[in-house]
Amino acid sequence: MSNLANNKFDFDTDDAFTEEELADLEALSEEDIDIDFDDDDFDLDDMDCNIEGWDDAEVAAPPPMPDVPPQIAETTNTNDDFSDSEEEALAAIEQALDMVNEPKSKIVDDFADEDFDDDFGDEDFPADLPPLTASVTQDFSAKTADASPVPPATAVTELESYEEDDVPQDGDHIPVPRINIGVFCETQGTSELVEAAASDRRLSKAHINIFMGGLKKAVQHFQSETTPNLLIIETVSPNSELFEGLEQLAEVCDPSTKVIVVGHVNDVRLYRELMDRGISEYLISPKRPIQITRSIASLYVDPSAPPIGRSIVFVGARGGVGSSTVCHNVAWAIAELHKSDTVILDLDLAFGTASLDFEQDPSQGLAEALAAPERLDDVLLDRLLQKCTDRLSLFAAPNMLDRDYDMPASSFEEVLDMVRRGVPNLVIDLPHAWTEWTRSILHSADEIVITATPDLSSFRNAKNLIESVKASRTNDAPPYLVLNQMGVPKRPEIPVEQFAEALEIDPIAVINWDPQLFGMAATNAEPVFETNGKSKAATSLDQVASTILGQSNEKNSGRGFDIKSLFRKL
């Protein structure tokens, strides 16, 4: 018992006593022991309990002590404030000190007035203690004797279990918009992960196509196919082959395409090089579908990000040139032939024909959205859109003459921005009128298609429109020109060559007069592709769609791009 004198007890009040331990303490003899606390800065970590009134002879052979709970034996307090559990611990200490059945002792408070620091230096520990890492290493080695060796730092060090994936993150409730995603895998495991991710509720609106073959397959595939909004490319090739393949991919892809590279090497230098080349993200060996889902969502669900969809405005040089017919058929071709989700916005609010051409009922939804654009969100927009096909939706004009549709340009701008956030292609049927909002929409569009007929009034109006557009869009490409209703019997016409030379724009399509084909399509409320997909008119309309999507050789040659413009982040 001699070692009790001048001993130092440390107590960790975070440790809770079990019921059995508390019962043992209550059975101890209850003796009055005075414990004086210096002040509010009292710290259990540095409490010195000095026992007076005992000499070595009296404590040389103490009676055997019962088992003391580990909470009392040696613990360390890490808190500065007292709690109820600390008071219980002090009471237990008093009983433990009295159980030796020795004469009453006086506990002398030996605290100094200064505050004590919880940080310990090397001098606080005995020099003969073995290194802490030795026992920890032995214990860990015993538990992991059969574990696989740790890979080097440059290899993939992803864990099989991603606990952080199970924690909800900001934006998890926001679905990915209606985009096309092309995935080119080199391993079956990644392909299965993408298939599982495709069924995630956040990707319910997106269209995902999975191919095996990696980067080489992607380059070959897009020689003749339209580039999707997002490409996910898996690679197991060396860095030199990866960069060479990306350069080849840049030659066949649209500049607006975003790219995620899935690799199997955790290399900081590779990551930096890919980011410098404009890759949107580098994902290392995903193990769960949620990793792929969140990687895609991170590129599209940011509310502060610019809209993802391009706005394509169709406007007629004069009334009756067939601009709405061309607009609706090209929109159908973009959606169904080129597999790119599209919304038609019919802004001829009083006399629009989009609902007739697609056999839909007129809706007040667009008028309501324009009247209160601040109320329009993703949920309301989904309710207001009329679904024509899996990839084509319609925001139809109300076609009612009992109200005034004179609305500010800002209302149209807000509605257009909201729709563009959720779809790759917004095709706008702009009425033949010249107001503040029609001029604003025309000048701010990503692509402009002017439909004209080979007559003098169309020529004059088309020239004025082109000059107006060029003046306000000095850094943009000129609008596209479509000549419609060519070859009307017994009608004098301006030749195509003369029309193009005077306007300094070559038409991207010349559509011949075919009243039977277009009349039958209008009567049946169907696009000309379903009426006669092999007709010359259908071929010309598909040419317009291909050019807008960047699949025309003439367009690509006139608007060249390099790899950095291909993979630029929007």
Side-chain angles (χ1 to χ4, degrees), residues 13 81-90:
T13 56
D81 300 326
F82 288 103
S83 63
D84 293 339
S85 59
E86 292 174 341
E87 296 176 359
E88 295 175 1
L90 289 174

Side-chain angles (χ1 to χ4, degrees), residues 327-362:
C327 171
H328 303 163
N329 280 278
V330 170
W332 188 94
I334 293 174
E336 299 303 310
L337 299 184
H338 297 273
K339 308 301 181 184
S340 184
D341 283 48
T342 305
V343 169
I344 298 176
L345 185 61
D346 189 352
L347 291 182
D348 191 351
L349 302 178
F351 302 103
T353 60
S355 57
L356 289 175
D357 287 347
F358 293 99
E359 202 172 5
Q360 300 288 332
D361 294 329

Side-chain angles (χ1 to χ4, degrees), residues 207-524:
H207 295 277
I208 302 178
N209 295 316
I210 304 174
F211 306 89
M212 298 301 296
L215 189 54
K216 291 183 179 180
K217 176 66 175 180
V219 174
Q220 179 184 359
H221 181 78
F222 294 118
Q223 296 283 351
S224 58
E225 296 293 335
T226 304
T227 311
N229 306 99
L230 174 65
L231 275 176
I232 300 177
I233 306 292
E234 182 185 16
T235 178
V236 295
S237 303
N239 293 354
S240 58
E241 294 184 14
L242 171 61
F243 296 142
E244 181 181 355
L246 291 176
E247 291 178 358
Q248 296 174 359
L249 184 65
E251 298 176 358
V252 296
C253 286
D254 189 87
S256 62
T257 299
K258 296 184 179 183
V259 176
I260 295 176
V261 173
V262 177
H264 297 269
V265 177
N266 191 357
D267 188 341
V268 175
R269 290 174 297 179
L270 172 61
Y271 171 81
R272 290 175 178 172
E273 179 66 21
L274 291 174
M275 295 302 104
D276 289 342
R277 291 173 178 261
I279 297 298
S280 299
E281 185 173 351
Y282 179 59
L283 185 60
I284 303 173
S285 295
K287 297 295 188 299
R288 299 177 65 179
I290 189 63
Q291 294 177 271
I292 298 175
T293 301
R294 284 179 175 158
S295 296
I296 297 172
S298 66
L299 302 178
Y300 293 98
V301 302
D302 183 5
S304 62
I308 66 162
R310 74 182 84 190
S311 58
I312 308 165
V313 171
F314 284 77
V315 60
R318 64 171 178 82
V321 298
S323 176
S324 293
T325 300
V326 172
C327 171
H328 303 163
N329 280 278
V330 170
W332 188 94
I334 293 174
E336 299 303 310
L337 299 184
H338 297 273
K339 308 301 181 184
S340 184
D341 283 48
T342 305
V343 169
I344 298 176
L345 185 61
D346 189 352
L347 291 182
D348 191 351
L349 302 178
F351 302 103
T353 60
S355 57
L356 289 175
D357 287 347
F358 293 99
E359 202 172 5
Q360 300 288 332
D361 294 329
S363 171
Q364 294 291 328
L366 178 55
E368 294 174 0
L370 292 171
E374 69 278 358
R375 296 177 52 199
L376 188 62
D377 56 17
D378 292 334
V379 177
L380 180 58
L381 179 62
D382 280 342
R383 276 209 335 259
L384 296 179
L385 290 178
Q386 297 171 293
K387 201 170 185 63
C388 301
T389 68
D390 288 341
R391 297 181 181 271
L392 180 64
S393 298
L394 176 64
F395 217 167
N399 302 141
M400 302 292 290
L401 302 181
D402 57 351
R403 59 181 301 178
D404 186 6
Y405 298 110
D406 188 12
M407 300 173 186
S410 59
S411 296
F412 290 89
E413 181 181 354
E414 290 183 45
V415 172
L416 264 62
D417 285 346
M418 177 57 67
V419 179
R420 289 175 62 198
R421 284 193 175 97
V423 69
N425 305 289
L426 174 60
V427 177
I428 303 171
D429 186 1
L430 197 66
H432 181 68
W434 199 246
T435 63
E436 179 187 1
W437 64 268
T438 57
R439 182 171 61 252
S440 175
I441 292 174
L442 183 67
H443 289 174
S444 61
D446 295 317
E447 308 286 356
I448 300 173
V449 180
I450 299 175
T451 303
T453 52
D455 55 74
L456 189 58
S457 61
S458 284
F459 171 78
R460 182 201 64 183
N461 293 347
K463 182 176 179 62
N464 290 338
L465 283 172
I466 292 171
E467 290 177 352
S468 175
V469 168
K470 284 184 176 180
S472 64
R473 296 157 56 96
T474 56
N475 296 323
D476 292 274
Y480 298 115
L481 176 65
V482 173
L483 287 179
N484 191 28
Q485 301 176 7
M486 294 294 296
V488 177
K490 299 182 180 180
R491 185 187 69 176
E493 295 179 347
I494 300 175
V496 175
E497 295 78 7
Q498 184 178 348
F499 209 105
E501 182 180 357
L503 296 180
E504 298 181 349
I505 292 181
D506 292 327
I508 59 173
V510 176
I511 303 175
N512 292 326
W513 171 254
D514 193 342
Q516 183 177 1
L517 173 64
F518 285 96
M520 185 177 298
T523 302
N524 296 334

